[in-house]
Amino acid sequence: MSTVLRNFLELSYSELEELNLEAKEQRRNRVAADVIQEARLKYLTDTPGIKAVTVMFSDLEGRLHMLDYDKKFLLKSWDNLTFDGSSIRGFTAQRESDLRLALDWSAFYWAPSDVFGAGKVLVFGEVIDKGGAPYSADIRGLLKQFSNKLHAEHGYTLNAANEIEGFLFEGADAERCFHDTGDFKYVNTGGYYHSLPGDPLRTFIDTAAEVQRAMGFENEKDHPEVAPSQFEINYSYGEVVAAADQIQLYKLICRQIATQMGMTASFLPKPVVGVNGSGMHTNISISKNKKNLFWDANGEEKISKFAWQFVDRILTHGNDICLLLNASVNSYRRLDPHFEAPNQIKASATDRGSMVRIPIGNEKSARVEVRSVGPDANPYMVLYSVFKSGLHGDTAKIKNLRQAERYLPDNIYTALEGFRDSKWTTELLGEDVKARYADLKQASADRCPRLLGTIVKAPEVQFHHDVYNQLLWGQF
């Protein structure tokens, strides 16, 4: 259909980057919510080329949901946006279905029109219950409350940067068609850092990186990963809620670009047997008055005692929160030590099989890296559980805690058992939300073979049976 007569907003990538970086700086500086709200409403009112506002929120398992509101309607009704919560997994029952969306005006994005459509802007929403309180199963809201409280009481800023790996497969609906094809086809068979200019994987990475740059991600590096057709596009750290939002946008951008190229970006942790799986290495630090509290030039591995105490609490609660970091049956196929998988509950500066690694850093970049995270986990749940455990958790009285021979579960049933039995996860989520989450994961587990093992040995069978079950039931 011709678009000659249309005049919807279309901005260049450089204009988009400038707007998004300005909004990001306002968010980083914690500009007052009412000031941001007034500015955004004025912008929408004064900009005729905008036709719709895409409001985004995530369910309990981390799936991103999007609703497009006509701009004129939203300007009149932005303070009373309702939706049916009973249609969202892990949210309300049918008898109590109505929920509201409050707009987090600081989490506002201008998106490229060639990817998201002309005349649209994006904003993240906060789920509100009928009484007007933050909804308990909206983990983004829970993370934001936690972050704001720590900043108000201690001056802490929680920082995170995530290295999100994925696979690029042939076909626009490769995951949904898996039950027909029985396999995934690589678009590239190169290796780590190796991809020729112009080949499908390199073109995909370049295009996705351009979109991220335009949306204010502040890119660092991008490259093919170890496995064939595997990719990683790195970007700068951010305040914890903004960092989790960027994970959702990263996956959305990759999926959209891949679809436009007739391919599929997959964030299953272990879709293919015999090659490295995909992780979401989570780099975290805490700052106060712009000083990195994890740095100590004279400390062990040049991180502070405060940072090591944080690490010790993560190791203590490793089994408790494993289900939050590795949320699918397929995640436990990835925790295979033969493929650099971090399944050991220990900390190390060098051993990539450790749950926690201490990367080389300086005063600005000193951090700890939680490696045992699957890319299909709820990013808000991951960051909330890691930061709260590291700051407020217990420290186990285990001899040589940082190097003890302890391992994460190798199957979701063991992880579920540890999650259900843990007092700490009740403190993290509350009894109601904890039970809802566990029930969702139990149902997912029960649809898959329990004792499949890590590798299907028959040479003609190259993929995990649980991949089929998870794709069939929308668990990707």
Side-chain angles (χ1 to χ4, degrees):
M1 183 182 294
S2 173
T3 61
V4 173
L5 300 179
R6 297 178 183 175
N7 62 348
F8 297 132
L9 183 68
E10 296 184 79
L11 300 174
S12 69
Y13 275 41
S14 60
E15 290 173 306
L16 292 168
E17 184 176 17
E18 184 177 347
L19 286 167
N20 282 311
L21 286 177
E22 181 182 351
K24 189 174 186 178
E25 187 65 17
Q26 291 174 326
R27 193 175 185 184
R28 184 181 289 130
N29 293 333
R30 297 179 180 269
V31 174
D34 60 333
V35 174
I36 296 290
Q37 175 183 297
E38 182 180 356
R40 298 289 182 261
L41 289 171
K42 185 178 188 304
Y43 174 80
L44 292 174
T45 301
D46 295 347
T47 309
I50 296 176
K51 63 182 178 183
V53 177
T54 301
V55 180
M56 302 173 288
F57 68 96
S58 300
D59 64 23
L60 186 56
E61 294 181 286
R63 291 179 190 81
L64 185 66
H65 298 265
M66 297 179 286
L67 301 89
D68 272 13
Y69 287 96
D70 181 87
K71 186 189 77 171
K72 294 177 182 177
F73 172 81
L74 183 130
L75 286 171
K76 292 185 294 184
S77 307
W78 60 268
D79 57 348
N80 188 35
L81 303 177
T82 61
F83 71 100
D84 178 9
S86 67
S87 299
I88 307 299
R89 288 169 61 89
F91 278 18
T92 60
Q94 186 171 349
R95 64 182 180 276
E96 50 179 23
S97 59
D98 285 348
L99 293 172
R100 284 190 176 90
L101 281 173
L103 301 185
D104 183 352
W105 292 106
S106 66
F108 191 94
Y109 292 87
W110 287 262
S113 59
D114 57 335
V115 177
F116 291 89
K120 290 186 179 183
V121 289
L122 285 62
V123 63
F124 280 89
E126 300 172 349
V127 184
I128 306 297
D129 65 23
K130 289 200 296 184
Y135 184 55
S136 60
D138 177 24
I139 307 303
R140 183 184 188 277
L142 186 63
L143 175 64
K144 186 175 179 180
Q145 292 172 57
F146 178 67
S147 173
N148 287 344
K149 183 178 181 182
L150 284 170
H151 188 268
E153 294 180 355
H154 303 285
Y156 290 170
T157 296
L158 310 182
N159 307 302
N162 300 83
E163 303 168 34
I164 310 160
E165 297 167 335
F167 280 90
L168 188 66
F169 296 127
E170 288 186 10
D173 292 306
E175 291 177 326
R176 289 183 177 84
C177 295
F178 182 85
H179 66 286
D180 293 325
T181 63
D183 66 2
F184 292 125
K185 290 184 170 60
Y186 297 137
V187 303
N188 173 287
T189 55
Y192 201 33
Y193 297 163
H194 179 70
S195 182
L196 294 173
D199 79 8
L201 182 61
R202 186 70 255 176
T203 301
F204 163 80
I205 291 174
D206 288 347
T207 307
E210 287 172 5
V211 176
Q212 287 181 198
R213 192 175 298 113
M215 293 185 70
F217 274 57
E218 298 179 283
N219 292 6
E220 294 185 347
K221 69 177 184 293
D222 53 66
H223 55 85
E225 260 294 342
V226 174
S229 279
Q230 193 177 33
F231 62 88
E232 181 180 305
I233 309 172
N234 295 149
Y235 51 88
S236 179
Y237 74 93
E239 188 277 331
V240 66
V241 181
D245 289 344
Q246 284 188 305
I247 295 171
Q248 296 294 64
L249 289 173
Y250 173 97
K251 293 195 284 188
L252 176 64
I253 290 166
C254 289
R255 285 171 172 146
Q256 182 69 1
I257 295 298
T259 297
Q260 290 180 343
M261 296 177 65
M263 295 180 282
T264 297
S266 174
F267 295 100
L268 282 163
K270 189 78 169 180
V272 184
V273 172
V275 299
N276 286 37
S278 292
M280 186 168 74
H281 303 159
T282 298
N283 295 273
I284 53 183
S285 66
I286 299 173
S287 56
K288 181 176 182 178
N289 298 325
K290 298 185 178 180
K291 178 184 178 181
N292 186 352
L293 300 182
F294 278 15
W295 166 254
D296 183 347
N298 299 314
E300 182 183 352
E301 301 297 343
K302 296 191 180 299
I303 65 171
S304 65
K305 181 179 179 181
F306 178 72
W308 278 115
Q309 290 171 340
F310 189 99
V311 169
D312 289 344
R313 296 186 189 107
I314 294 294
L315 298 176
T316 297
H317 293 291
N319 279 318
D320 298 332
I321 65 174
C322 186
L323 189 68
L324 304 177
L325 309 186
N326 299 276
S328 64
V329 173
N330 189 248
S331 296
Y332 297 90
R333 311 302 183 207
R334 171 181 167 257
L335 295 179
D336 182 337
H338 296 96
F339 296 96
E340 299 182 12
N343 69 335
Q344 302 173 57
I345 308 177
K346 67 179 186 179
S348 172
T350 56
D351 186 351
R352 293 177 181 269
S354 300
M355 181 182 186
V356 177
R357 191 172 76 91
I358 313 300
I360 297 172
N362 55 30
E363 187 172 0
K364 181 180 178 181
S365 66
R367 63 201 186 275
V368 300
E369 177 188 29
V370 182
R371 294 175 56 81
S372 306
V373 184
D376 58 349
N378 181 337
Y380 306 101
M381 191 84 82
V382 168
L383 292 174
Y384 173 69
S385 61
V386 167
F387 274 106
K388 185 153 186 174
S389 297
L391 285 169
H392 298 157
D394 299 321
T395 302
K397 295 179 180 178
I398 295 174
K399 185 178 179 181
N400 198 18
L401 173 63
R402 297 170 194 167
Q403 292 298 316
E405 290 192 10
R406 301 165 62 228
Y407 296 88
L408 293 168
D410 62 1
N411 67 88
I412 196 169
Y413 284 95
T414 303
L416 260 165
E417 184 178 356
F419 177 80
R420 288 188 191 273
D421 291 345
S422 167
K423 293 180 181 179
W424 177 242
T425 54
T426 304
E427 187 171 334
L428 277 175
L429 300 175
E431 290 186 6
D432 177 51
V433 174
K434 173 180 175 175
R436 293 191 209 184
Y437 184 81
D439 288 347
L440 288 171
K441 296 308 168 187
Q442 187 76 51
S444 177
D446 289 344
R447 287 193 292 266
C448 299
R450 179 165 185 166
L451 298 176
L452 183 64
T454 58
I455 295 178
V456 179
K457 293 183 179 179
E460 69 274 13
V461 180
Q462 298 179 346
F463 302 89
H464 295 301
H465 289 59
D466 58 276
V467 170
Y468 167 76
N469 285 283
Q470 287 178 225
L471 295 173
L472 180 66
W473 290 91
Q475 299 297 303
F476 51 86

